[in-house]
């Protein structure tokens, strides 16, 4: 097995930059502005208790001014007057790691999260599909750059080895165990992901590189440090099995974007919605699924909860979320099409109050079956498949505007039709005397001086059980204009007034 | 054709014919493009005979002007709708004037699983019709743009050409004197009396077409 390790050295900072740049709809090139946006303004992440705030990370501009991770906030403020201090949210990191794991799942079925800054992929099985390693590596890097994550990638025969190599040198790829052994030997002990106690103890013993550690007698090491250190070293080199808990994609997609300002117009919401929908499509293609129905919830001002999991109830003075439901008749996963549908649904709904945050929740994720097309399809090149057209019509005209009809075995004509959003198979034909192609919504008087009876009568007498009792004699008649009509008279009355009920159009 | 002697001094006769053909004042008889033969018979032999394509056009808007309901305006189309829906092509009916009575449609051969009805009014109905025509995935699109003007019909015709789809627009008889971009226009009067008002590629016949709505009683 070959493991690729993607190390995310500044995940928390990237999370903040991503969020801040997601709200700048003006930028033409997201990548350029993302980098520029985070580079221009000094920015630092702050963590720790209120009495002792320390910097967790700082961006390039802040580091240039002398800010370093671990520095107290007061010291940082003394060094640099005007920088943006943002509270670090560990839940956001966790969410992003899950998101990245879902993304990595596209490239490998064995994905594992290591520590809090690395993702491991088993790539040997993926190389057959994604080409030789340099090509796969390029794809990974392109995706990560597009999503806005700083990263280091390395490949090695063991997961732990890949992790260490990625920390030591970006872009290293080793396949043989002797090479790995050699490369690991040059890695400093401080980067070896040992426990803190072991690291300090080894440093105090004057051991700088792993090579020196490998050279020590195993029995002595085991006596001094216990079996865990040896096992760690063996897993690193592949001498000891290293089973890992593999990532399993969740069955629900849920994403949230908090806006930095209030938005009360549709156009300003489109950009964050596009990002949410793109994330959804990324997730869907990772699990090779589609989405049948998703909800975009607009959270309004003064919203208390930040926790995504809890169900929120509106307390006094707060508006409930505005929910925009996007339902589809068949599974879909094309981001452009999903965005198109979400946009037309959004434009039809009104925004009652300024929006502070957006949430996209998708629970119905059925398998996606791409529509089959003929190889020698003679349709025009720009043709849109029926499923897409259907969704477009439903998005603008309403969920129920598109329907199909099936006959229903009830003798009363009014009850003999059933509307359904989608017929899965051809309904069985009903054996009936002639019926008109058009049925009037309700019967109306037919006044004509020279009606000619073509067929009939056919008595329909039914419905005593549900209050819709009818007793009628139906005739096919021809009017003086030559129209063919389906009309009835009360049952048993030969000279009653004609009531028109349909046209043989 | 004799060329005048004075003009034949410096150019060859072929060149002169070429210049003559470029003259915009010259009217040529075969100007209109000949419609390719259609493989969608109307189901009415007399009508097939009259139409230049020998059936419904493949990709165009057909305008049907009718003076009253129940003259057979729908049974004129049922054969082609049956053929298209049996070929598993969606048939879209936009904003029908009455409730489509499914058993009768099914009896005429239309497969209900490929019959889609759209509820819309006014502008939305025109939009839906145009979208369905333009998409190129539908077999036929039926609509009742009663109030539509020349501009709206032109949009529908362009959409039908772009999407290579057959469109039917039912219109009131009062529209027969207005110009229309539809390549084929039929009128259905009391009687019932079916006439071709306009067909691209041929002269419309003067006489009425014997037409009996296919309905078994």
């Amino acid at each position: 097995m070959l493991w690729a390790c993607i190390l995310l050295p500044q995940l928390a900072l990237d999370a903040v930059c991503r969020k801040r740049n997601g709200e700048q709809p003006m930028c033409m090139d997201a990548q350029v502005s993302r980098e520029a946006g985070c580079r221009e303004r000094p920015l630092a992440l702050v963590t720790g208790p209120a009495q002792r705030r320390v910097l967790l990370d700082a961006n390039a501009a802040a580091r240039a001014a002398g800010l370093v991770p671990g520095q107290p906030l007061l010291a940082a403020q003394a060094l640099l007057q005007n920088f943006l201090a943002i509270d670090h949210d560990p839940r956001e990191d966790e969410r992003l790691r899950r998101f990245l794991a879902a993304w990595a799942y596209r490239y490998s079925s064995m994905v594992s999260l290591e520590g809090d800054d690395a993702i491991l992929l088993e790539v040997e099985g993926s190389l057959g599909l994604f080409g030789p390693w340099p090509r796969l590596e390029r794809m990974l890097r392109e995706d990560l750059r597009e999503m806005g994550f700083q990263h280091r990638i390395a490949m090695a025969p063991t997961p732990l080895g890949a992790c260490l190599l990625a920390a030591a040198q970006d872009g290293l790829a080793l396949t043989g165990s002797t090479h790995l052994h050699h490369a690991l030997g040059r890695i400093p002990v401080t980067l070896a992901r040992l426990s803190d106690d072991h690291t300090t103890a080894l440093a105090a013993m004057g051991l700088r590189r792993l090579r020196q550690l490998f050279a020590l007698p195993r029995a002595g090491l085991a006596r001094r440090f216990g079996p865990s250190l040896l096992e760690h070293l063996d897993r690193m080199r592949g001498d000891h099995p290293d089973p890992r808990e593999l990532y399993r994609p969740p069955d629900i997609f849920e994403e949230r974007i908090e806006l930095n300002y209030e938005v009360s117009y549709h156009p300003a919401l489109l950009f964050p919605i596009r990002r949410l929908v793109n994330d959804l499509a990324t997730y869907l293609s990772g699990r090779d699924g589609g989405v049948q129905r998703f909800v975009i919830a607009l959270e309004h001002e003064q919203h208390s909860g930040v926790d995504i999991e809890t169900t929120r109830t509106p307390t006094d003075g707060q508006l409930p979320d505005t929910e925009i439901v996007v339902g589809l008749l068949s599974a879909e996963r094309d981001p452009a099409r999903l965005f198109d549908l979400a946009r037309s649904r959004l434009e039809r709904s009104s925004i009652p109050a300024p929006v502070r945050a957006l949430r996209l929740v998708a629970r119905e994720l059925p398998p996606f079956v791409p529509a089959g097309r003929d190889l020698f399809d003679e349709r025009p090149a720009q043709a849109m498949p029926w499923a897409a057209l259907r969704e477009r019509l439903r998005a603008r005209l309403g969920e129920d505007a598109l329907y199909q009809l099936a006959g229903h075995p009830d003798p009363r004509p009014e009850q003999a039709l059933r509307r359904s959003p989608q017929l899965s198979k051809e309904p069985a034909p009903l054996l009936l005397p002639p019926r008109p192609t058009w049925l009037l919504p309700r019967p109306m008087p037919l006044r004509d001086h020279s009606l000619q009876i073509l067929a009939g009568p056919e008595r329909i007498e039914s419905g005593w059980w549900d209050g819709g009792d009818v007793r009628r004699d139906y005739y096919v008649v021809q009017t003086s204009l030559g129209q063919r009509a389906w009309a009835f008279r009360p049952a048993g009355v030969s000279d009653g007034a004609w009531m028109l009920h349909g046209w043989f159009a | 054709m004799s060329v005048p002697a004075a003009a034949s001094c410096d150019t060859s006769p072929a060149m002169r014919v070429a210049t003559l053909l470029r003259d915009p004042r010259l009217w040529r008889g075969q100007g209109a493009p000949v419609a390719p033969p259609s493989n969608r018979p109307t189901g009415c032999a007399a009508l097939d005979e009259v139409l230049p394509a020998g059936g419904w056009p493949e990709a165009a808007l057909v305008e049907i002007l009718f003076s009253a309901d129940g003259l057979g305006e729908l049974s004129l189309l049922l054969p082609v709708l049956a053929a298209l829906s049996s070929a598993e092509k969606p048939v879209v009916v936009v904003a029908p004037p009455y409730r489509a009575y499914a058993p009768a449609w099914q009896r005429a051969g239309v497969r209900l699983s490929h019959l889609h009805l759209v509820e819309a009014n006014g502008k939305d109905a025109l939009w839906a019709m145009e979208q369905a025509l333009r998409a190129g995935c539908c077999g036929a699109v039926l609509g009742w743009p009663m109030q539509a003007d020349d501009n709206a019909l032109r949009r529908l015709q362009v959409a039908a050409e772009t999407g290579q789809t057959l469109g039917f627009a039912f219109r009131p008889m009062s529209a027969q004197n207005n110009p229309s971009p539809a390549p084929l226009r039929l009128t259905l009067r009391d009687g019932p009396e079916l006439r071709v008002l306009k067909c691209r590629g041929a002269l419309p016949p003067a006489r009425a077409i014997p037409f009996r709505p296919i309905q078994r009683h």
Side-chain angles (χ1 to χ4, degrees):
Chain A
M1 285 203 280
L2 286 174
W3 291 84
C5 173
I6 300 171
L7 198 68
L8 303 153
Q10 38 168 306
L11 183 66
L13 195 62
D14 288 337
V16 173
C17 291
R18 242 168 79 86
K19 208 192 248 179
R20 291 174 54 74
N21 286 297
E23 292 152 16
Q24 293 170 2
M26 295 307 147
C27 57
M28 295 299 290
D29 186 340
Q31 175 58 25
V32 169
S33 77
R34 179 176 297 134
E35 284 175 353
C38 264
R39 202 179 289 148
E40 279 164 16
R41 182 98 194 261
L43 185 150
L45 280 177
V46 185
T47 183
Q51 290 82 12
R52 194 184 140 68
R53 312 286 280 158
V54 285
L55 299 197
L56 183 80
D57 206 347
N59 71 352
R63 277 173 195 250
L67 270 59
V68 288
Q71 205 170 28
L73 181 61
L74 281 175
Q77 274 162 344
L79 278 172
L80 190 63
Q81 288 178 353
N82 188 14
F83 71 91
L84 211 58
I86 293 177
D87 270 332
H88 173 235
D89 181 6
R91 273 178 309 189
E92 178 71 6
D93 287 4
E94 178 58 29
R95 205 184 56 70
L96 266 186
R97 286 172 56 222
R98 295 258 142 216
F99 168 73
L100 281 171
W103 158 78
Y105 198 68
R106 262 200 279 182
Y107 294 104
S108 169
S109 59
M110 294 172 75
V111 174
S112 168
L113 293 168
E114 159 78 26
D116 53 7
D117 61 347
I119 296 170
L120 289 163
L121 292 79
E122 199 289 308
V123 289
E124 193 169 17
S126 313
L127 289 181
L129 184 58
F130 293 104
W133 166 246
R135 194 160 145 239
L136 175 58
E137 187 188 1
R138 202 167 56 239
M139 287 161 80
L140 293 174
R141 282 183 198 276
E142 255 168 39
D143 281 2
L144 286 165
R145 208 176 306 122
E146 213 162 272
M147 292 189 287
F149 289 106
Q150 297 285 328
H151 56 272
R152 303 163 75 99
I153 298 181
M155 185 183 71
T158 64
L160 199 55
C163 258
L164 301 193
L165 292 182
Q169 192 184 343
D170 191 15
L172 214 54
L174 301 174
T175 48
S177 58
T178 46
H179 285 124
L180 174 69
H181 205 279
H182 191 69
L184 283 176
R186 282 181 300 170
I187 288 178
V189 172
T190 45
L191 288 179
R193 291 187 177 250
L194 295 165
S195 68
D196 285 345
D197 294 348
H198 289 169
T199 312
T200 33
L202 290 171
M205 287 165 69
L207 298 169
R208 300 273 175 269
R209 306 259 162 194
L210 282 178
R211 190 190 312 119
Q212 297 166 301
L213 198 53
F214 293 155
L216 291 180
R218 293 174 62 88
L221 271 182
R223 206 162 40 247
R224 187 180 288 249
F225 293 100
S228 65
L229 176 70
L230 274 185
E231 195 192 313
H232 189 83
L233 294 181
D234 286 346
R235 282 196 289 148
M236 197 183 288
R237 287 175 292 186
D239 296 337
H240 193 278
D242 190 3
R244 299 196 157 255
E245 195 184 331
L246 294 178
Y247 167 78
R248 274 195 61 226
D251 291 331
I252 291 177
F253 177 86
E254 187 149 5
E255 271 271 11
R256 186 166 182 276
I257 294 184
E258 205 161 315
L259 306 173
N260 272 358
Y261 41 85
E262 292 168 2
V263 171
S264 40
Y265 303 103
H266 292 123
L269 288 176
L270 289 180
F271 194 80
I273 286 184
R274 185 190 289 273
R275 227 199 71 196
L276 284 175
V277 169
N278 281 349
D279 282 356
L280 172 65
T282 306
Y283 165 79
L284 288 177
S285 66
R287 57 178 268 146
D288 194 23
V291 64
Q292 184 111 42
R293 183 173 179 278
F294 59 93
V295 178
I296 297 173
L298 309 177
E299 293 174 14
H300 297 296
E301 212 184 345
Q302 297 168 349
H303 223 301
S304 54
V306 200
D307 195 358
I308 298 172
E309 302 302 326
T310 55
T311 47
R312 264 159 286 199
T313 47
T315 53
D316 36 32
Q318 288 181 1
L319 279 165
D321 298 348
T322 307
E323 295 207 331
I324 297 164
V325 181
V326 184
L328 296 93
L329 288 179
S330 61
E332 180 61 73
R333 75 155 172 238
D334 179 34
R337 211 166 273 158
L338 289 176
F339 175 68
D340 214 31
L341 296 175
R343 186 174 62 183
S344 51
R345 296 284 206 292
L346 178 72
E347 281 164 356
R348 282 183 351 128
S349 58
S350 63
I351 301 178
V355 179
R356 285 297 315 207
L358 293 167
R359 220 165 60 233
L360 193 154
V361 185
R363 288 176 202 278
E364 287 166 41
L365 306 167
F368 175 70
V369 183
R373 285 189 62 171
D374 276 352
L375 178 58
F376 303 105
D377 203 344
E378 76 278 17
R379 286 185 304 178
Q382 79 285 5
M384 184 191 240
W386 165 246
L389 170 66
R390 186 179 57 192
E391 296 307 339
R392 176 179 281 188
L393 293 177
R394 286 177 73 235
R396 163 135 170 200
L397 303 175
E399 303 280 319
D400 310 322
L402 219 71
Y403 61 97
Q404 293 196 287
L405 286 176
H408 182 69
D410 191 309
R412 289 167 295 173
E414 292 94 336
Q415 311 289 334
L417 281 182
R418 284 287 178 274
R419 273 175 73 145
S420 72
Q422 199 175 13
L423 290 178
S424 49
K425 59 176 176 41
E426 182 69 20
L430 304 175
L431 294 171
L432 289 172
R435 288 284 181 266
T437 40
W438 289 139
L439 192 72
L440 269 56
R442 62 181 67 84
M444 52 186 272
L446 175 66
R447 294 194 184 85
D448 198 298
H449 50 86
S450 59
L451 277 182
Q452 191 189 340
I453 295 177
L454 299 179
E458 176 199 347
R459 177 158 302 179
I460 292 179
E461 184 172 359
S462 180
W464 49 268
W465 60 86
D466 61 0
D469 195 1
V470 296
R471 293 187 73 237
R472 296 165 179 171
D473 281 343
Y474 276 91
Y475 295 85
V476 179
V477 296
Q478 186 162 17
T479 67
S480 52
L481 292 175
Q483 302 160 280
R484 251 182 266 222
W486 201 45
F488 67 83
R489 289 198 284 209
V493 182
S494 60
D495 55 351
W498 289 102
M499 294 294 279
L500 175 66
H501 206 179
W503 292 114
F504 287 91
Chain B
M1 180 173 160
S2 68
V3 179
S8 65
C9 51
D10 52 348
T11 50
S12 67
M15 285 288 284
R16 289 199 52 78
V17 169
T19 7
L20 197 63
L21 285 178
R22 277 202 295 274
D23 194 326
R25 288 168 298 171
L26 190 74
W27 182 82
R28 277 181 287 165
Q30 77 279 22
V34 180
S38 162
N39 54 13
R40 285 183 194 149
T42 61
C44 167
L47 185 59
D48 280 348
E49 212 169 279
V50 172
L51 295 179
W56 295 117
E58 294 276 338
L61 187 71
V62 178
E63 205 181 338
I64 297 171
L65 308 165
F66 63 112
S67 61
D69 293 312
L71 290 174
E73 67 274 13
L74 208 57
S75 40
L76 195 60
L77 310 189
L78 284 176
V80 72
L81 299 188
L84 286 168
S85 62
S86 303
E88 309 217 326
K89 295 211 171 192
V91 171
V92 181
V93 179
V94 181
Y98 302 108
R99 292 167 71 185
Y101 199 54
W105 290 61
Q106 198 173 22
R107 195 188 170 98
V110 179
R111 290 186 58 186
L112 295 182
S113 52
H114 293 280
L115 178 70
H116 300 272
L117 294 103
V118 180
E119 233 170 51
N121 42 29
K123 281 251 160 68
D124 277 345
L126 277 176
W127 174 83
M129 226 182 135
E130 190 186 332
Q131 290 294 324
L133 284 170
R134 195 179 292 278
C137 57
C138 301
V141 181
L142 277 66
W144 281 259
M146 291 297 202
Q147 311 293 329
D149 55 357
D150 180 47
N151 219 341
L153 286 178
R154 190 171 300 281
R155 286 193 69 116
L156 292 181
Q157 160 65 12
V158 170
E161 271 175 20
T162 317
Q164 301 281 302
T165 307
L166 180 57
F168 290 101
F170 291 92
R171 311 251 297 137
M173 192 53 96
S174 56
Q176 70 164 323
N177 291 326
N178 302 343
S180 161
L184 177 61
R185 302 181 83 195
L186 305 175
T187 61
L188 193 60
R189 272 173 218 283
D190 319 344
E193 183 198 82
L194 178 69
R195 278 176 191 276
V196 179
L197 194 63
K198 167 188 173 187
C199 55
R200 186 187 284 169
L203 283 176
R207 61 190 166 80
I209 295 152
F211 164 65
R212 293 231 37 90
I214 333 141
Q215 287 288 342
R216 284 152 289 172
H217 297 307

